[in-house]
Amino acid sequence: MRIAIGGMAIESSQFCPHRSTYDDFRVTRGADLLGRYAWTRPGAGFAAEVEWVPLVHAVALPGGPVERDTYDRIKSELLTRIREAGPLDGLVYDIHGAMSVVGLDDAEADLTEAVRDALGPDALISAAMDLHGNVSRRFADRLDLLTAHRLAPHEDAWETRERAARKLVGRLASGKGRPYRAWVQVPVLLPGEKTSTRLEPAKSLYGRLAAVEALDGIVDAAIWVGYAWADEERCRAAVVVTGDDPDLALAQARSLAQEYWDVRRDFVFVGPTGDADTCIARAVASPARPFLISDSGDNPTAGGAGDLAYMLGRLLAHEDLASGRVTALHPGITDPAAVAACFEAGAGAPVEVEVGGHISAGTGPHAEPYRLTGTVTALQDPAAPAPGAPRGNPAYDGGGRSAAVTCGGVTVVLTERRRPFHTRADFGPLDPSAYDIVVVKIGYLEPELYEMAADWLLALTPGGVDQDLTRLGHRRIARPLHPFDDAGFEDPDLTPVLL
Ligand SMILES: [Zn+2]
């Protein structure tokens, strides 16, 4: 059994001014690619007769739309490697599902059509996806198996990929060929921060999937929330139930889709929300330390630019923070020029820099740079990679220099590259628990931040991934669609299509 592995994964916001280029992707091939997946090792539980064939895999930190030549380059390499791989029985297709490419609609369908053409009609394609991906009919039609994370935050991300591989191997071993897919979209578009599976109704809805999957005649069941920060017809929730019993697959897909529709108004933000000033005032007044605030509109891991100084300005506008009576740590505003200026000044030196708003220039008053006067309190310069070494994604490698500047009670971390602060290790030498307030560019809190937070608020801040979808100005999504058209929106036809 020869099974290839490859794909291209990014979540990219069409409302974000950033453009994702080839350098933003971590591209792996050969042994490095197989090294991503522990289950490809000998003795990992797969039959010895499975030969894993690494193609190419490209993954990037979420951002703005992918430049067309970057997409074409990665697509072309993937297709070439498929054609040169020799006979293949299947493909584990490791993608996200919310890729926006400049000048191209339904990028995943475009890529998948080309992959299907290169593979030929007989090989089975098993897609492992993020539940924030979109699933158009055109896209699902070219796949044989498709599954998605069942948890948000995605603590099951690697389990999802392994499930896609196991289902594919099981399918090929059984000789049953291509299963049916019952596909249906649900005219609901929700921001990720309203669909955490830690909370109802997503908890119960996603909790049903394992039981559906276990039914005789069903192979897999998946629900996609869809991606709210792209403006395409495909952006909406979807359900796919895969199986050999077409009537059962149709009935289960219909039932899951109906439940999603029925509970659409019950989805709430994962935590208490407020505008920036309300959240800051409540955090200052609270005895809970550290108090975390999510600057959700500029969350780089959802596709935000990550360079807005909006929250920095709001923090320093609060008297208790400006005076230092209350302390706050605010990582990380992307601004390479400001980082360079801090390195030039040196640790302990005073510095005056225009911070943020370069990627986001011109997108609105919230994108104005902030004139910061403070002291350089920390500098971090991770060792440069050896010459000729493969370049990883600095965002995920924690690469790039960073500088901390303190003004009054506020310490802001400026970064050379767009990067997330999700784990304790991401903060480097700065200890977030030593501050009264920690403001992170994130939506719902990733596990280590969640553990750390004595209390927490989700600030509904402006930016490329604004959680208030109605503020963004979608024009091309298919209507009617909840929450845009709630008045007089009659119950939709949720009859699945059998693919
Ligand atoms: Zn996701």
Side-chain angles (χ1 to χ4, degrees), residues 11 96 130 132 154:
E11 178 176 19
H96 183 289
D130 189 294
H132 297 114
H154 307 320

Side-chain angles (χ1 to χ4, degrees), residues 210-468:
V212 174
E213 179 185 27
L215 294 171
D216 201 24
I218 299 297
V219 174
D220 194 86
I223 301 171
W224 288 261
V225 165
Y227 187 62
W229 298 287
D231 194 11
E232 296 183 23
E233 199 180 320
R234 63 176 177 152
C235 297
R236 53 185 50 212
V239 172
V240 175
V241 177
T242 309
D244 291 307
D245 181 336
D247 293 333
L248 187 61
L250 286 166
Q252 292 297 324
R254 172 155 196 129
S255 163
L256 289 166
Q258 187 65 49
E259 183 174 339
Y260 200 108
W261 174 254
D262 289 344
V263 300
R264 68 192 180 282
R265 291 197 180 89
D266 301 337
F267 289 95
V268 289
F269 282 114
V270 287
T273 60
D275 61 22
D277 288 347
T278 306
C279 291
I280 291 167
R282 284 175 60 187
V284 167
S286 168
R289 297 292 182 248
F291 196 114
L292 267 76
I293 299 175
S294 295
D295 176 6
S296 66
D298 192 31
N299 171 13
T301 50
D307 80 324
L308 296 178
Y310 177 78
M311 273 303 262
L312 174 63
R314 299 324 305 156
L315 285 166
L316 284 167
H318 195 290
E319 200 179 312
D320 289 347
L321 285 156
S323 70
R325 195 188 70 75
V326 176
T327 61
L329 178 62
H330 181 34
I333 300 173
T334 309
D335 191 329
V339 172
C342 292
F343 269 81
E344 199 156 303
V351 72
E352 187 176 345
V353 277
E354 291 269 338
V355 170
H358 298 300
I359 302 168
S360 302
T363 56
H366 62 275
E368 291 292 316
Y370 185 84
R371 177 159 287 278
L372 177 69
T373 308
T375 306
V376 179
T377 40
L379 295 170
Q380 232 197 331
D381 187 3
R391 186 146 165 254
N393 181 342
Y396 280 140
D397 294 342
R401 299 190 300 175
S402 61
V405 177
T406 302
C407 172
V410 177
T411 298
V412 58
V413 181
L414 308 171
T415 64
E416 222 164 26
R417 304 279 310 205
R418 297 172 63 250
R419 52 168 290 203
F421 286 81
H422 281 186
T423 65
R424 173 65 190 81
D426 290 335
F427 289 80
L430 299 167
D431 178 7
S433 62
Y435 294 82
D436 297 320
I437 300 171
V438 181
V439 179
V440 184
K441 292 182 182 291
I442 197 170
Y444 49 65
L445 298 181
E446 292 295 321
E448 286 187 29
L449 296 180
Y450 190 73
E451 281 300 307
M452 181 195 302
D455 201 351
W456 170 64
L457 283 168
L458 181 80
L460 299 176
T461 47
V465 288
D466 195 324
Q467 295 290 315
D468 183 349

